[in-house]
């Protein structure tokens, strides 16, 4: 999320893609979509959960377009290990992970009052979307390309939420992309109305734990294909052309701060003041300006999400000694996440996708679980 690329210590030095005359090339192939599936919770959600979303101006805050993207790249270490098979195995493990957080399979809707009612997310078990795709390069070629950052936008699938009919729009996407060498990438896109970036990373870690605990990857005496495996021959004959994902370019940069203040809960006036202080610090570190008016998203410990446009004028008035001792830069990491024990990611990449700058505040523990303090995510457009 920050200027440094996360988790690259597991990626060996790779050659750049070149032409015959030795000049650097771009990516020679685009992603081809092969299948779209739904993944639901392992069991029905009863009673249904409801998370209010309080926002006066959805268009002004841009809440329907903001998401967090994660890509994990894996090499095939054993014969038959491909993204096609992995897509089949994860339907069970992800379904169990969704049972613990059923809102991920839910939808955004208008509450009582129809189109004029308040927004809310309901756990109606409509399901997340699983996209299967292929790309005509090897994993090493892709990772070694000078244009990898541009190409990564095609390895995650996201569709902006329809402001008029949000009840039909998924809030969570998984895209498994197969490379020519047998390696594959797992792309996650999650609406920031559901989870903040750190909570999304914790979800992926929990999902990997569930996946390994279930022993889904077959051994020598187990079936070689999952129940939900779709024939690769069938895929190549009928690629999907109707999918039109929304762009997820890396046009913004994000810094994460952790505020260790038990007396300043997310959503309080003090937390907002400290969030603005973090914004000023991020502007200095990134050498870029947010602007005098931007969106502030706050996820309270109860799960309620509020969004508002804030006007900033002058320096933030917070005690210097409090800010210096309580605000620190926080790093994110997924380098050790494995879905087959011993196969760590060749690379992990993550970023916030947004058309403009904004600030998000969320509890450190992801909810009302007694964990003190909160995280502040400051997202600023690149120059």
């Amino acid at each position: 999320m920050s200027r440094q690329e996360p988790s690259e210590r597991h990626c060996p030095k790779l050659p750049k893609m070149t032409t015959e005359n030795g000049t650097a090339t771009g990516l020679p192939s685009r992603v081809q979509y092969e299948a779209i599936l739904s993944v639901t919770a392992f069991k029905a959600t009863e009673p249904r959960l409801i998370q209010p979303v309080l926002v006066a101006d959805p268009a002004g805050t841009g809440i329907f377009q903001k998401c967090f993207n994660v890509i994990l790249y894996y090499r095939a270490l054993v014969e038959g290990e491909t993204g096609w098979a992995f897509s089949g195995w994860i339907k069970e493990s992800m379904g169990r992970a969704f049972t613990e957080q059923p809102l991920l399979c839910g939808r955004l809707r208008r509450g009582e009052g129809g189109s004029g009612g308040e927004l809310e997310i309901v756990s109606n078990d409509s399901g997340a979307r699983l996209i299967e795709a292929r790309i005509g390069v090897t994993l090493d070629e892709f990772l070694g390309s000078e244009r990898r950052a541009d190409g990564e936008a095609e390895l995650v699938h996201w569709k902006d939420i329809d402001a008029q009919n949000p009840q039909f729009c998924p809030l969570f996407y998984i895209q498994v992309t197969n490379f020519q060498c047998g390696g594959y990438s797992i792309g996650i896109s999650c609406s920031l109305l559901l989870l903040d970036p750190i909570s999304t990373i914790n979800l992926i870690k929990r999902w990997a734990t569930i996946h390994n605990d279930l022993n889904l990857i077959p051994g020598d005496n187990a079936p070689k294909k999952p129940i939900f495996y779709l024939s690769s021959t069938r895929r190549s004959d009928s690629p999907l052309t109707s999918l039109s994902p929304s762009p997820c370019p890396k046009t913004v940069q994000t810094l994460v701060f952790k505020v260790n203040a038990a007396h300043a809960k997310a959503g309080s006036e003090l937390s907002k003041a400290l969030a603005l202080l973090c914004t000023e610090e991020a502007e200095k570190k990134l050498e870029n300006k947010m602007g005098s008016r931007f969106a502030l998203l706050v996820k309270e410990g109860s799960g309620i999400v509020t969004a508002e446009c804030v006007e900033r004028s002058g320096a933030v008035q917070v005690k210097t000694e409090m800010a210096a001792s309580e605000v620190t830069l926080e790093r994110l990491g997924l380098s050790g996440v494995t879905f087959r024990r011993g196969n760590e990611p060749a690379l992990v990449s993550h970023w916030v996708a947004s058309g403009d700058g904004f600030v998000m505040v969320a509890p450190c523990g992801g909810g009302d679980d007694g964990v003190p303090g909160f995280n502040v995510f400051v997202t600023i457009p690149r120059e």
Side-chain angles (χ1 to χ4, degrees):
M1 289 177 58
S2 60
R3 288 175 292 178
Q4 64 271 20
E5 283 293 338
S7 307
E8 294 209 9
R9 61 193 179 100
H10 292 283
C11 181
K13 295 294 183 180
L14 298 170
K16 295 180 179 180
M17 297 169 58
T18 58
T19 60
E20 292 182 358
N21 62 10
T23 59
T25 69
L27 299 175
S29 179
R30 297 181 65 86
V31 166
Q32 176 177 296
Y33 299 112
E34 302 289 351
I36 179 169
L37 310 168
S38 290
V39 182
T40 60
F42 189 71
K43 60 181 179 180
T45 305
E46 292 292 344
R48 290 186 174 181
L49 306 178
I50 295 178
Q51 175 183 295
V53 178
L54 308 178
V55 53
D57 182 11
T61 55
I63 61 171
F64 298 129
Q65 292 80 39
K66 293 175 170 51
C67 67
F68 180 57
N69 299 317
V70 180
I71 304 177
L72 301 100
Y73 297 90
Y74 292 94
R75 291 188 170 87
L77 296 187
V78 299
E79 184 179 356
E81 182 184 7
T82 66
W84 305 121
F86 179 77
S87 297
W89 295 118
I90 65 174
K91 290 201 69 174
E92 182 172 350
S93 61
M94 201 68 195
R96 293 179 183 270
F98 285 156
T99 300
E100 298 180 0
Q101 297 197 47
L103 283 173
L104 296 172
C105 291
R107 293 292 185 270
L108 189 67
R109 70 178 186 184
R110 299 284 180 180
E112 296 183 3
S115 60
E118 294 287 354
L119 290 167
E120 60 187 18
I121 300 174
V122 58
S123 58
N124 58 7
D125 296 332
S126 292
R129 289 289 183 266
L130 171 60
I131 312 295
E132 297 184 57
R134 70 167 73 240
I135 188 169
V137 294
T138 68
L139 182 58
D140 282 356
E141 286 174 336
F142 187 89
L143 295 180
S145 170
E146 291 183 342
R147 294 188 58 195
R148 173 175 62 84
D150 297 329
E152 284 186 327
E154 293 193 34
L155 301 186
V156 291
H157 190 96
W158 171 255
K159 187 72 173 177
D160 288 342
I161 300 168
D162 187 333
Q164 301 302 317
N165 299 293
Q167 68 272 21
F168 301 115
C169 301
L171 303 175
F172 194 93
Y173 290 87
I174 311 163
Q175 178 175 319
V176 180
T177 305
N178 288 264
F179 292 84
Q180 284 185 331
C181 58
Y184 55 92
S185 65
I186 307 169
I188 308 291
S189 297
C190 180
S191 170
L192 290 179
L193 294 176
L194 280 175
L195 297 176
D196 64 86
I198 290 180
S199 296
T200 302
I201 285 177
N202 290 336
L203 166 72
I204 295 172
K205 292 178 179 178
R206 175 59 182 155
W207 169 31
T209 298
I210 293 173
H211 191 89
N212 286 307
D213 288 347
L214 289 174
N215 293 317
L216 293 174
I217 301 297
D220 293 338
N221 298 322
K224 296 298 182 182
K225 295 180 180 178
I227 296 175
F228 299 105
Y229 180 80
L230 301 179
S231 169
S232 58
T233 302
R234 179 181 175 185
R235 284 192 188 90
S236 61
D237 290 338
S238 55
L240 299 177
T241 58
S242 59
L243 292 181
S244 56
S246 302
C248 285
K250 296 183 177 181
T251 56
V252 295
Q253 47 196 343
T254 303
L255 288 182
V256 188
F257 298 85
K258 183 176 181 181
V259 180
N260 298 309
H263 56 285
K265 295 183 179 179
S268 67
E269 290 303 315
L270 179 56
S271 75
K272 293 181 180 180
L274 286 171
L276 293 177
L277 188 68
C278 292
T279 302
E280 292 186 351
E281 183 65 18
E283 288 175 329
K284 295 176 184 178
K285 290 181 177 293
L286 298 176
E287 299 179 347
N288 205 351
K289 291 293 185 180
M290 173 78 79
S292 61
R293 187 175 188 270
F294 54 86
L296 174 64
L297 277 65
V298 178
K299 187 163 189 176
E300 301 177 11
S302 60
I304 297 175
V305 176
T306 61
E308 60 179 312
C309 289
V310 298
E311 297 281 352
R312 183 176 55 170
S313 58
V316 180
Q317 299 299 316
V318 182
K319 292 182 179 179
T320 303
E321 61 270 20
M322 177 185 297
S325 62
E326 293 178 345
V327 182
T328 58
L329 182 63
E330 184 81 349
R331 292 189 177 185
L332 308 179
L334 273 169
S335 59
V337 172
T338 65
F339 291 90
R340 176 191 285 276
R341 290 184 177 89
N343 188 11
E344 293 191 0
L347 181 74
V348 179
S349 181
H350 45 60
W351 72 97
V352 170
S354 175
D356 54 8
F358 69 97
V359 178
M360 183 173 187
V361 178
C364 286
D368 191 12
D369 51 10
V371 178
F374 54 89
N375 295 309
V376 179
F377 305 86
V378 183
T379 297
I380 300 178
R382 298 180 186 272
E383 292 184 347

